[in-house]
Amino acid sequence: MTLKTTQSSFNSIPIAAKLHWTWAHTFILLQFFLQILLLFPAIGLFRVPMRIASFALGLFLLVWLPCSHKKTHPATMPAMIVLAIMLLEFCLNPYINSVTAGLAQGAMYLAILSPLFWVRGLKITPKAFESLMFMMWGINTLSAIFGVLQVYYPGKFQLAVSTVIQNNAFGGKDLLITLANGAQVYRPMGLTDVPGGAASSGLYALLFGVVFALKNKNPIIRIAGVSSAALGLFCIYLTQIRSILVLAAISMVVLAVVLIRTGQVARATVMISGVTGLFAGTFFWAIAIGGESTLQRITSLFAGSPQEIYQQHRGGFLQNTIENLLPKYPLGAGLGRWGMINGYFGDNADLVSQPIWVEIQWTAWLLDGGVPLIFAYVFSLYGACQTAWNIAINRKLGDFALWGGLIFAYDIGVVALTFNYPIFMSQGGMEFWLLNTALFVAANHILDQKPLDVQ
C-alpha cells in the first residue's frame, strides 16, 4: 500500500469510527479512573496508595509487555543514562535519606520514563494515535467543563478536596478565589481533587481543540474544537495559575511557527487569528466572572520584563540552586531528600540528610543526581523535541505531520515549565514521554518502519 493510499484511507475514516485500542489507551483511561476514584471521600482517605498506583501502572506495563526490538526513540539512550545515574546515586551517595526513600525515588524516575520503553512495542497506527488524542481531548474537555460549572454553580459541582490540602496549615483557604459577585470558591478543580487542577485539563483542551479544529473539515468537530479551547482557556484564567497560562501561550506561538515553517501559511493565518480571538474573548469572560482578583493576577504578568517577573516569583529558587546548592552538591545531595517521596518514605532522624525544599525541576535534578543527571535529562529532552520537530516538517507524513507540530509545541512549553515546578516528577512527566513515544511510533508506521531522520 502506498503512502498516498494510506493517507487517503486515513482521512476518509471518521475520527472515532474505530478506537484502534492499544495499551496506551488503557494507560490513559486507567490514569483518569484512578483520579476519579479520589473524588469519593471514602476512597480519598487512601490517597497515598492511589497516587502510587498511578506510577506503578507504568512499571507494570514495563514488565508485562513483551520486549520490543523495534526502533527506539532517540531519547531512549540518554534516558537509560538517567536511570544508570539513579542506580549509582543509590549505591554510592552517602547522603541518601533512607533506603526506602532512595528506592522510591529511583522507581519514580523509572516509572516516569517507562513509556519510552513499553510504548515503542505497541502497534500505534496513525488512526490509533489520533484516537488516543481524541480520547485525551474528550477526557480533558470534560474536566474543563466541570471546572466551568464549579465557578458558575458554587457548591453544586464541588468535588472532594484532597485530604492533604484539608490537613495543611491553611485548611485549603489559601486556594479560594473571590468571584465578581462576591462568592468565594475553590479555584476550578475540574475532575481532580486539587483546587486549580482544572488548569492542566484546560491546557490539553486548548491544545487538542485547536489541532482538531485545524485538521477537520467537519463543522461539528471544528465547533467542538474551538469550544473546548475556549473552555480550557477560561479554566486556566480562573485557576490563576500563571505558569500554565504562559505555557499555553508559548505552545500556541510555537505551533504557529511550525505551520509557517512548513509552508502552511493559510492554516497558520487562520490559527493565529482564531487563537488571538480566543485569548482575548475568554480573558474578558474570565474577568466578568472572576472579578478583580483574576484581573490582578493575570495583569501581574505584564508588570515588568519577563526576567523581572520570573525573578520575583521562581527566579530566586533557580538562583539559589546555582549559587548555593550547585557548589555544595555537584554530584547530588542523596536520593529521597525532597518532596512527597521524602514525606511518604523519608527518615529524617539523621541531621546530615535532612529534607531540602524544591520548587523547580532543575533543583530536583541537581539534588537527585547532580550535574551528570542534569546533562543526561537535558539530552533526553533534546531528543524528544528534535524528533517531534522532524516529524512536524516531514512532508512524507502528509497531514499527520500536524500532530508533530502540536507535540513539538507542547514539548517546548513543558521544557519552559521546568523552570517553574518539577513536572518530570509528576504524572505530567509520564504523559510527556507517552505522547512523544506514541507520536514516534505512529510516524514510523506511516513511513513503513523506515527510520526517521533525526540528525
Side-chain angles (χ1 to χ4, degrees):
M1 182 178 289
T2 64
L3 177 63
K4 183 176 180 180
T5 304
T6 302
Q7 283 297 113
S8 176
S9 175
F10 172 53
N11 293 328
S12 66
I13 297 178
I15 292 176
K18 285 186 177 182
L19 284 179
H20 298 273
W21 200 267
T22 68
W23 274 106
H25 296 74
T26 302
F27 179 83
I28 292 297
L29 195 61
L30 286 177
Q31 292 289 323
F32 178 63
F33 177 70
L34 288 170
Q35 180 59 59
I36 292 296
L37 288 178
L38 290 175
L39 303 181
F40 297 92
I43 299 178
L45 296 174
F46 302 96
R47 177 180 174 82
V48 174
M50 296 295 289
R51 300 301 294 166
I52 292 174
S54 297
F55 297 99
L57 181 59
L59 297 176
F60 169 77
L61 292 176
L62 183 63
V63 175
W64 177 260
L65 294 179
C67 180
S68 170
H69 296 288
K70 295 181 179 179
K71 181 175 174 59
T72 58
H73 191 285
T76 303
M77 184 54 68
M80 292 179 68
I81 296 175
V82 166
L83 297 175
I85 292 172
M86 286 293 101
L87 180 61
L88 291 174
E89 286 289 327
F90 179 78
C91 296
L92 302 179
N93 195 310
Y95 303 114
I96 185 173
N97 179 270
S98 70
V99 173
T100 304
L103 285 173
Q105 194 89 57
M108 178 76 85
Y109 272 85
L110 178 59
I112 290 170
L113 289 167
S114 66
L116 273 171
F117 303 97
W118 61 261
V119 171
R120 77 187 192 199
L122 304 179
K123 187 179 180 181
I124 302 179
T125 64
K127 298 174 188 175
F129 182 84
E130 184 152 345
S131 71
L132 180 65
M133 299 298 97
F134 190 87
M135 185 174 71
M136 292 188 68
W137 177 37
I139 288 173
N140 287 285
T141 298
L142 179 63
S143 183
I145 290 173
F146 266 81
V148 174
L149 293 174
Q150 287 158 1
V151 173
Y152 269 89
Y153 304 98
K156 292 185 179 180
F157 293 89
Q158 182 64 58
L159 305 171
V161 179
S162 165
T163 53
V164 175
I165 293 174
Q166 293 180 38
N167 296 331
N168 71 13
F170 299 98
K173 293 182 179 180
D174 56 324
L175 297 174
L176 293 170
I177 58 173
T178 302
L179 302 180
N181 61 9
Q184 280 198 322
V185 299
Y186 280 115
R187 297 180 182 186
M189 298 165 56
L191 293 175
T192 76
D193 62 346
V194 179
S200 296
S201 297
L203 176 64
Y204 282 114
L206 169 66
L207 294 179
F208 295 141
V210 167
V211 171
F212 274 114
L214 287 174
K215 279 178 61 65
N216 291 275
K217 297 180 180 180
N218 187 319
I220 296 177
I221 294 178
R222 284 188 169 182
I223 292 173
V226 173
S227 299
S228 73
L231 292 170
L233 267 174
F234 178 81
C235 284
I236 294 173
Y237 282 129
L238 261 295
T239 58
Q240 301 181 10
I241 300 179
R242 294 169 297 185
S243 59
I244 299 294
L245 180 60
V246 172
L247 190 157
I250 290 174
S251 298
M252 291 295 98
V253 169
V254 173
L255 181 58
V257 170
V258 171
L259 292 175
I260 295 172
R261 166 64 176 77
T262 54
Q264 303 178 67
V265 179
R267 182 176 265 177
T269 302
V270 170
M271 183 214 145
I272 292 171
S273 58
V275 168
T276 301
L278 277 175
F279 269 84
T282 52
F283 171 76
F284 290 109
W285 178 22
I287 298 306
I289 303 300
E292 187 68 21
S293 64
T294 301
L295 176 62
Q296 291 179 355
R297 183 74 172 173
I298 296 171
T299 54
S300 67
L301 285 170
F302 308 99
S305 67
Q307 294 88 344
E308 292 172 341
I309 297 300
Y310 180 73
Q311 184 60 35
Q312 292 172 6
H313 296 90
R314 286 292 191 267
F317 298 113
L318 181 61
Q319 183 176 357
N320 179 62
T321 300
I322 296 173
E323 295 180 358
N324 299 319
L325 296 179
L326 177 59
K328 191 175 182 180
Y329 305 114
L331 297 179
L335 298 178
R337 294 190 61 179
W338 66 274
M340 297 311 294
I341 293 293
N342 180 269
Y344 294 154
F345 306 104
D347 178 6
N348 299 317
D350 187 349
L351 296 179
V352 177
S353 59
Q354 286 292 295
I356 302 175
W357 190 259
V358 169
E359 285 281 350
I360 62 175
Q361 183 65 66
W362 297 86
T363 310
W365 283 332
L366 179 68
L367 297 181
D368 290 339
V371 176
L373 180 61
I374 291 177
F375 273 100
Y377 224 113
V378 167
F379 275 114
S380 69
L381 295 178
Y382 173 80
C385 294
Q386 183 66 47
T387 301
W389 168 258
N390 285 327
I391 291 172
I393 63 174
N394 193 324
R395 297 183 183 276
K396 295 179 181 179
L397 296 174
D399 208 36
F400 182 84
L402 183 58
W403 287 117
L406 169 69
I407 301 302
F408 176 72
Y410 162 77
D411 288 353
I412 297 299
V414 170
V415 170
L417 205 56
T418 60
F419 291 90
N420 188 73
Y421 85 103
I423 185 172
F424 287 101
M425 290 303 287
S426 69
Q427 284 178 279
M430 284 197 299
E431 290 177 353
F432 176 93
W433 292 116
L434 185 143
L435 290 175
N436 276 275
T437 311
L439 173 75
F440 177 76
V441 173
N444 270 298
H445 187 278
I446 293 178
L447 297 172
D448 296 325
Q449 304 300 313
K450 293 180 181 179
L452 290 174
D453 180 11
V454 294
Q455 298 299 318

